[in-house]
């Protein structure tokens, strides 16, 4: 009897237990099995995504048939990565009935302009570093015999692209273009496009989380659907032959099933119309005797160049200038004659608080100020700017330095950091290799010396040279702390104590000097060093500044020599409209900035064999590092022009120097 009761109650307990388990399972899973599958699919695709960085990029997309996806996109700010769970954001899952429990929706929420950084579009996003989901729908029909590419001008920093709920791929690197062939993923009718953009930076990224500029996030440049014939021109390079400048070298790379059947190049104005054989890989090259008029800052002549598949089914037309650039001794030679670079550094931030430049008009406004300064050269710091900049520079006759953000101390020991830097460099070179304006590829800015750094940058320089044998490699150096200490102890300190020296020597012996073709130096005499020294000596900063200013014109940079040497940065901060008599040496006054520029001009004149200068910087720019509230307000104020476009006193100082240089160089 007792055992029967036990048996029955045990059975009851078992049934109750099983029922509650089933109930729990039903409650938790409910009608979700499809979503669970989506979770699994999503996780699997996440695992696969490491292999994606985009298909080889199409060059000159704007010269091809394309549709812009510019406009208002729906968006969701996702600081915790909630949208990843269950693939809820990629599928843009919306509740279907009022009883559906929803914790995510794109509807009735944020909208963002694409192209455009997110920071300038919503006060919640000014300093935001994290994930934002972008969503829009579109219809597109690929013509028979064609392929459709989804192309991005840039997305900062990491973009995961989902089409119709599935991951297409992922791209890392915030400033260069990338694309995927999405032909086979497009649906008839409406397509759902969701992009996950994440601008959080890690120590192994390029750049690292610490930079002196605002880490603008988002789909910062154009997004296009580009249609090309199945066999098409993927990349091409047309320029003077580096071995024989009396000839033009044309290189092409076709993609598609008939890539081995040959290409063509035509330059009507030069009477050129020839075939190019291509190999199984789609690559081909020809050399053609020609003597085009040279492109130069004084005369930025360009020719219409057409590159096509053998039977003209795909044709890409571009306007290309022809010029040579060489490092000869301590000079930079353009078209066989030395040219002093009268430059200015530029961050790609539009005037009037508009954030990252995304239009030609914004780029033109910046470069207009550079032209009015009398520049023949711009340093596009510290990352790859939009293609508008180099294209406009081609038209305006400005020489260009382009750069990737190997900035300060990236993780030089890390192989994947090097791979990221190389990818960014390749994407930049592939985009701009036909721009006559671009003469310098910069591999680094102010990187601290060391074995690992030397190896990393030597490899990066070799990578650049393998990709482009027609331009020069540069890097902006910074004085090593031990050399700076030597300068303080031997020259600056004795002067503070009243000892007079005819000359101050500023030593720069970075091993990178040997690696690059054009070594460059960032120096801030008159701005940074005085305050630091005053803080550790009994001298006032006013006195320390006075002594420095009195000597800047007597400083000589001591370097290994034999190469063109450029001053890639110098400057001082000034808040536009802050006017204080010069004698007060008030930092952030326009007078003080102008004084530093006058002294720097004396310093430039004192360097023998200086090949050019590009002071820091054209326009004030946002930077979270600059926290002097009421004055800086999160802006680096070293601009010669304020954000509103007002020119400061120092603008005139540099303009006068450039006018004088231009006149004497023309003699
Ligand atoms: C530098 C950096 C640049 C900074 C600048 C400054 O040396 O290369 O990114 O913004 O100095 O203003 O301190």
């Amino acid at each position: 009897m007792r055992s029967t009761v036990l048996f029955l109650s045990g059975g009851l307990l078992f049934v109750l237990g099983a029922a509650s388990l089933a109930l729990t399972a039903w409650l938790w899973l409910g009608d979700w099995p499809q979503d669970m599958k989506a979770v699994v699919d999503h996780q699997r695709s996440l695992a696969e995504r490491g292999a994606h960085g985009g298909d080889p990029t199409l060059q000159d997309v704007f010269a091809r048939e394309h549709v812009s996806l510019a406009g208002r996109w729906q968006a969701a700010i996702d600081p915790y990565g909630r949208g990843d769970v269950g693939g809820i954001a990629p599928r843009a899952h919306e509740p279907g009935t009022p009883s559906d429990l929803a914790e995510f929706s794109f509807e009735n929420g944020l909208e963002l302009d694409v192209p455009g950084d997110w920071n300038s579009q919503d006060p919640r996003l000014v300093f935001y570093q994290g994930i934002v989901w972008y969503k829009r729908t579109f219809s597109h029909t690929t013509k028979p015999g064609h392929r459709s590419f989804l192309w991005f001008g840039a997305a900062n920093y990491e973009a995961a692209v989902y089409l119709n709920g599935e991951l297409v791929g992922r791209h890392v690197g915030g400033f260069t273009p990338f694309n995927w062939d999405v032909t086979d993923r497009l649906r008839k009718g409406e397509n759902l496009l969701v992009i996950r953009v994440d601008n959080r930076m890690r120590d192994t990224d390029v750049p690292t989380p610490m930079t002196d500029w605002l880490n603008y996030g988002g789909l910062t440049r154009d997004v296009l659907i580009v249609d090309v014939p199945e066999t098409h021109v993927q990349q091409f390079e047309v320029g003077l032959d580096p071995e024989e400048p009396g000839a033009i070298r044309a290189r092409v790379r076709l993609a598609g099933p008939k890539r081995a059947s040959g290409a063509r190049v035509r330059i009507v104005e030069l009477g050129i119309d020839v075939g190019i054989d291509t190999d199984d890989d789609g690559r081909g090259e020809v050399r053609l005797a020609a003597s085009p008029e040279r492109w130069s800052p004084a005369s930025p002549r360009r020719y219409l160049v057409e590159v096509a598949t053998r039977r003209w089914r795909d044709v890409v037309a571009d306007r290309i200038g022809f010029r040579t650039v060489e490092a000869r001794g301590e000079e930079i030679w353009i078209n066989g004659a030395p040219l002093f670079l009268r430059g200015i550094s530029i961050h790609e931030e539009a005037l009037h608080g508009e954030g990252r430049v995304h239009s030609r008009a914004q780029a033109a406004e910046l470069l207009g100020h550079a032209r009015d300064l009398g520049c023949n050269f711009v340093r596009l710091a510290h990352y790859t700017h939009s293609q508008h900049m180099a294209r406009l520079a081609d038209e305006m006759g400005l020489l260009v330095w382009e750069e990737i953000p190997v900035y300060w101390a990236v993780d030089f020991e890390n192989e994947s950091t090097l791979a990221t830097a190389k990818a960014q460099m390749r994407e930049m070179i592939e985009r701009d290799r036909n721009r006559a304006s671009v003469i310098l590829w910069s591999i680094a800015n102010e990187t601290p010396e060391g074995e690992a750094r030397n190896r990393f940058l030597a490899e990066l320089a070799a990578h650049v040279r393998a990709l482009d044998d027609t331009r020069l490699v540069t890097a902006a150096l910074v004085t090593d702390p031990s050399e700076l200490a030597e300068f303080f102890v031997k020259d600056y300190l004795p002067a503070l104590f009243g000892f007079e020296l005819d000359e101050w020597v500023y030593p720069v012996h970075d091993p990178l000097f040997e690696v690059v073709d054009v070594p460059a130096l960032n120096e801030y005499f008159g701005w940074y060093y005085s305050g630091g020294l005053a803080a550790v000596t009994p001298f006032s900063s006013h006195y320390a500044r006075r002594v420095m200013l009195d000597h800047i014109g007597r400083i000589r940079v001591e370097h290994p020599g034999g190469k063109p040497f450029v001053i890639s940065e110098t400057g001082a901060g000034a808040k536009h409209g802050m006017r204080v008599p010069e004698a007060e040496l008030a930092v952030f006054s326009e007078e003080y900035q102008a004084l530093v520029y006058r002294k720097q001009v004396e310093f430039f004149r004192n360097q023998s064999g200086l090949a050019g200068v590009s002071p820091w910087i054209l326009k004030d720019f946002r930077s979270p590092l600059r926290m002097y509230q009421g004055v800086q307000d999160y802006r680096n104020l070293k601009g010669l022009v304020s954000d509103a476009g007002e020119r400061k006193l120092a603008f005139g100082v540099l303009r006068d120097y450039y006018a004088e240089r231009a006149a004497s160089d023309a003699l």
Side-chain angles (χ1 to χ4, degrees):
M1 178 65 190
R2 201 164 158 258
S3 60
T4 315
V5 170
L6 270 178
F7 177 77
L8 283 176
S9 53
L12 192 66
L13 275 176
F14 176 79
V15 170
L16 280 176
S20 66
L21 208 77
L23 184 67
T24 313
W26 182 80
L27 278 176
W28 275 99
L29 300 177
D31 57 348
W32 281 35
Q34 287 169 333
D35 287 23
M36 291 308 288
K37 180 176 177 306
V39 173
V40 173
D41 285 352
H42 179 73
Q43 297 307 340
R44 186 179 299 137
S45 61
L46 282 182
E48 283 163 7
R49 71 184 198 177
H52 293 78
D55 292 334
T57 30
L58 286 173
Q59 205 168 358
D60 272 2
V61 285
F62 288 94
R64 305 170 190 253
E65 213 175 305
H66 65 271
V67 180
S68 168
L69 296 182
R72 299 289 282 172
W73 290 44
Q74 291 178 307
I77 307 170
D78 185 5
Y80 288 174
R82 173 68 172 88
D84 284 322
V85 179
I88 198 160
R91 288 179 297 115
H93 186 83
E94 298 289 344
T97 75
S99 314
D100 290 346
L101 175 62
E103 310 236 34
F104 186 98
S105 172
F106 278 111
E107 300 303 321
N108 308 313
L110 178 67
E111 287 191 353
L112 292 173
D113 281 330
V114 174
D117 63 82
W118 65 51
N119 313 63
S120 323
Q121 299 192 47
D122 187 294
R124 289 172 295 175
L125 293 169
V126 174
F127 292 117
Y128 180 68
Q129 310 214 55
I131 301 164
V132 171
W133 295 91
Y134 285 78
K135 178 208 149 186
R136 67 162 286 162
T137 54
F138 66 93
S139 303
H140 189 78
T141 311
T142 309
K143 283 192 290 188
H146 281 65
R147 308 297 298 177
S148 296
F149 284 78
L150 188 56
W151 182 92
F152 297 81
N156 190 34
Y157 172 77
E158 183 177 324
V161 176
Y162 297 86
L163 189 56
N164 297 320
E166 283 181 20
L167 182 78
V168 176
R170 161 183 168 265
H171 177 265
V172 165
F175 302 95
T176 41
F178 54 97
N179 59 211
W180 285 277
D181 179 345
V182 292
T183 321
D184 302 331
R185 296 175 185 262
L186 288 173
R187 288 188 186 152
K188 278 210 178 75
E190 193 173 85
N191 286 273
L192 167 69
L193 179 60
V194 174
I195 326 270
R196 176 194 197 270
V197 185
D198 186 350
N199 72 335
R200 280 170 300 184
M201 308 303 297
R202 295 161 303 175
D203 290 342
T204 50
D205 288 331
V206 180
T208 63
M210 171 79 99
T211 57
D212 188 17
W213 68 83
L214 186 70
N215 181 26
Y216 286 109
L219 296 175
T220 50
R221 297 189 190 147
D222 288 288
V223 181
L224 309 179
I225 303 174
V226 186
D227 283 310
V228 290
E230 257 171 3
T231 299
H232 54 268
V233 176
Q234 186 182 77
Q235 287 280 324
F236 64 95
E237 183 191 347
V238 179
L240 292 176
D241 184 350
E243 318 257 282
E244 171 44 54
I248 285 178
R249 183 181 71 179
R251 288 172 155 175
V252 62
R253 177 157 195 195
L254 302 184
K258 296 197 182 138
R259 61 185 176 278
S261 59
R264 295 201 72 80
V265 60
R266 181 162 72 182
I267 311 174
V268 174
E269 291 164 283
L270 295 174
I272 291 173
D273 185 358
V274 294
I276 309 177
D277 291 335
T278 51
D279 62 17
D280 290 346
D281 207 19
R283 290 174 198 273
E285 177 175 320
V286 280
R287 290 177 150 78
L288 309 154
S291 45
E293 221 178 278
R294 298 291 175 92
W295 180 100
S296 73
S299 164
R301 170 78 159 99
R302 296 173 303 146
Y303 289 83
L304 180 69
V305 175
E306 294 163 290
V307 180
T309 49
R310 177 72 90 194
R311 295 191 191 288
W312 296 97
R313 276 195 34 84
D314 185 36
V315 189
V316 187
D318 199 353
R319 295 206 166 269
I320 296 180
F322 297 96
R323 56 106 193 87
T324 60
V325 58
E326 299 155 84
R328 280 220 203 159
E330 297 191 334
E331 292 171 328
I332 292 174
W333 284 43
I334 306 287
N335 298 324
L339 191 69
F340 182 82
L341 304 179
R342 305 185 307 270
I344 190 71
S345 299
I346 306 182
H347 257 296
E348 200 187 32
E349 196 185 78
L351 285 138
H352 321 296
E354 289 166 10
R356 276 263 171 272
V357 168
H358 55 77
S359 74
R360 190 179 145 93
Q362 291 169 323
E365 196 173 6
L366 285 176
L367 293 180
H369 282 289
R371 191 195 38 217
D372 291 354
L373 255 184
C375 292
N376 60 11
F377 171 63
V378 287
R379 174 184 178 202
L380 303 184
H382 279 301
Y383 38 75
T384 305
H385 290 208
S386 76
Q387 58 185 355
H388 298 301
M389 294 293 258
R391 285 197 171 269
L392 277 162
D394 257 22
E395 289 171 32
M396 295 166 69
L398 286 165
L399 298 163
V400 173
W401 155 321
E402 290 202 341
E403 181 166 338
I404 61 163
V406 175
Y407 181 86
W408 293 346
V410 305
D411 191 348
F412 294 113
E413 312 267 357
N414 190 309
E415 278 302 312
S416 80
T417 305
L418 179 59
T420 302
K422 283 183 170 178
Q424 294 187 24
M425 190 56 93
R426 180 178 48 73
E427 289 163 353
M428 176 171 77
I429 293 177
E430 286 181 350
R431 194 193 69 184
D432 284 349
R433 63 183 350 151
N434 290 317
R435 302 283 68 84
S437 53
V438 180
I439 54 167
L440 291 164
W441 301 123
S442 175
I443 56 172
N445 180 76
E446 293 190 351
T447 51
E449 285 179 35
E451 280 287 306
R453 192 242 18 198
N454 298 347
R455 246 181 293 117
F456 183 108
L457 293 182
E459 207 170 311
L460 195 54
H463 177 68
V464 174
R465 292 185 174 115
L467 287 166
D468 183 4
D469 56 355
T470 69
R471 291 182 176 80
L472 304 172
V473 177
T474 189
L477 314 180
V478 65
T479 317
D480 185 67
S482 64
E483 291 189 311
L484 194 60
E486 187 183 324
F487 169 71
F488 283 168
V489 170
K490 286 194 178 153
D491 299 333
Y492 194 7
L493 264 178
L496 288 174
F497 281 103
F499 293 98
E500 272 304 313
L501 295 166
D502 291 342
E503 169 177 272
W504 287 11
V505 177
Y506 192 69
V508 179
H509 295 104
D510 189 325
L512 200 51
F513 207 98
E514 302 310 320
V515 173
V516 296
D517 304 308
V518 178
L521 177 72
N522 296 351
E523 53 80 8
Y524 283 90
F525 306 126
W527 185 250
Y528 281 128
Y529 319 119
S530 306
L533 208 58
V536 295
T537 58
F539 304 108
S540 71
S541 55
H542 184 278
Y543 174 71
R545 284 188 187 282
R546 183 76 271 157
V547 171
M548 172 58 92
L549 289 162
D550 287 346
H551 289 81
I552 291 179
R554 277 184 257 168
I555 298 176
R556 180 176 58 83
V557 178
E558 179 195 82
H559 57 71
K563 293 188 174 186
F565 183 71
V566 166
I567 297 295
S568 39
E569 283 181 33
T570 186
K575 188 175 165 76
H576 177 262
M578 183 169 153
R579 307 296 297 265
V580 182
E582 184 185 292
E584 291 186 30
L585 306 186
V587 291
F588 295 115
S589 67
E590 284 196 47
E591 283 77 2
Y592 188 73
Q593 185 190 38
L595 177 61
V596 171
Y597 267 81
R598 282 204 302 281
K599 295 297 173 184
Q600 283 288 343
V601 166
E602 287 176 28
F603 164 78
F604 299 156
R605 290 202 177 104
N606 193 40
Q607 309 311 304
S608 69
L610 192 62
V613 299
S614 60
W616 193 254
I617 189 168
L618 184 69
K619 182 191 88 69
D620 293 345
F621 59 95
R622 282 170 158 182
S623 170
L625 281 191
R626 308 299 172 169
M627 299 173 62
Y628 183 2
Q629 299 181 68
V631 177
Q632 293 176 308
D633 294 320
Y634 302 95
R635 284 180 191 283
N636 184 315
L637 296 177
K638 295 192 188 71
L640 294 175
V641 173
S642 75
D643 189 55
E646 301 134 327
R647 293 176 178 174
K648 306 178 193 173
L649 290 178
F651 188 99
V653 177
L654 192 63
R655 186 182 49 202
D656 291 350
Y657 169 58
Y658 283 168
E660 181 202 305
R661 252 311 330 190
S664 67
D665 288 351
L667 296 178

